[in-house]
Amino acid sequence: MRIADAQWIPASPHQTWDALIDPVVLQRCLPGCIKVEQRSPTEYGLVIRTKVAGFETDYEGEILLSDVDAPNGCTLAFEGKGLAAGLAIGTAQVSLIPKEEGTRLSYTVAAMAGGKLAELGEPTVMKAGGKIVDKFFGAFIEHMARQPRLAPPPPPPEPEPRGLSNSRWSWAMALAVIVVLVGYHTLFR
């Protein structure tokens, strides 16, 4: 199963990024979400209750972030297991780009299902996955629209230049060493 799309988010990329990695916001916006916990800066655990083709079950899963380039995007790997319905695993590429006084959030999801969930067939699973994604973005966009717009944080200060260009005395010392070496080889050869 593959889903690719983009959404316009009414917030700057840094605000959008901060909300996307906030467990409280995720729990509020993910449909059927019972719990989201951040286990580390790049690992989340979650429990979601969902119904797919008559199978209503809780899925326990985790999300791992990699290739993190905050606030520009990342890669997600996810896995969810439901006792009665099987499992869902996959990856997602997420990209955030400033656009029209907001953020264009584009994503590509590749996922597979196993167990009874897979027996339902890809069209049914795709339809259910699409509904979950649509509900998430509906809630997320609504949440972000209520947030005050904040300026992005200032970039980190440039490191102070180092090396010989930092002081004229450094150049004088380097020149003195060269003169001594040339003089030594000239006089004592």
Side-chain angles (χ1 to χ4, degrees):
M1 170 175 86
R2 186 174 169 86
I3 301 172
D5 203 354
Q7 301 285 333
W8 181 81
I9 309 297
S12 66
H14 90 276
Q15 280 183 283
T16 302
W17 175 264
D18 288 346
L20 284 172
I21 62 170
D22 183 342
V24 173
V25 174
L26 291 174
Q27 186 166 344
R28 186 177 302 137
C29 296
L30 281 167
C33 188
I34 297 169
K35 175 177 101 172
V36 175
E37 67 175 337
Q38 187 172 11
R39 296 176 179 161
S40 76
T42 58
E43 183 181 4
Y44 295 81
L46 58 120
V47 178
I48 295 177
R49 179 170 293 140
T50 190
K51 188 175 189 176
V52 179
F55 288 112
E56 181 174 18
T57 189
D58 290 353
Y59 284 90
E60 290 186 24
E62 61 183 22
I63 299 171
L64 301 172
L65 296 127
S66 62
D67 304 324
V68 176
D69 180 21
N72 303 311
C74 68
T75 301
L76 303 169
F78 58 89
E79 176 183 271
K81 296 177 186 174
L83 294 177
L87 72 119
I89 59 171
T91 61
Q93 299 289 124
V94 178
S95 174
L96 287 80
I97 300 169
K99 184 172 183 177
E100 299 171 9
E101 297 186 29
T103 300
R104 180 180 190 269
L105 187 155
S106 59
Y107 58 92
T108 302
V109 178
M112 293 178 9
K116 290 183 181 180
L117 195 58
E119 292 172 9
L120 297 172
E122 189 171 321
T124 303
V125 175
M126 285 272 298
K127 185 177 178 183
K131 283 182 181 179
I132 291 170
V133 169
D134 290 345
K135 286 180 181 179
F136 168 77
F137 278 113
F140 186 73
I141 290 168
E142 185 178 309
H143 169 79
M144 295 307 292
R146 290 191 309 262
Q147 304 306 308
R149 297 277 178 116
L150 301 174
E158 289 291 323
E160 212 171 288
R162 302 194 95 151
L164 295 178
S165 64
N166 203 20
S167 162
R168 66 178 171 199
W169 293 109
S170 301
W171 284 104
M173 289 301 292
L175 186 59
V177 168
I178 292 171
V179 168
V180 168
L181 289 173
V182 169
Y184 175 79
H185 283 288
T186 305
L187 295 173
F188 295 106
R189 246 180 165 206

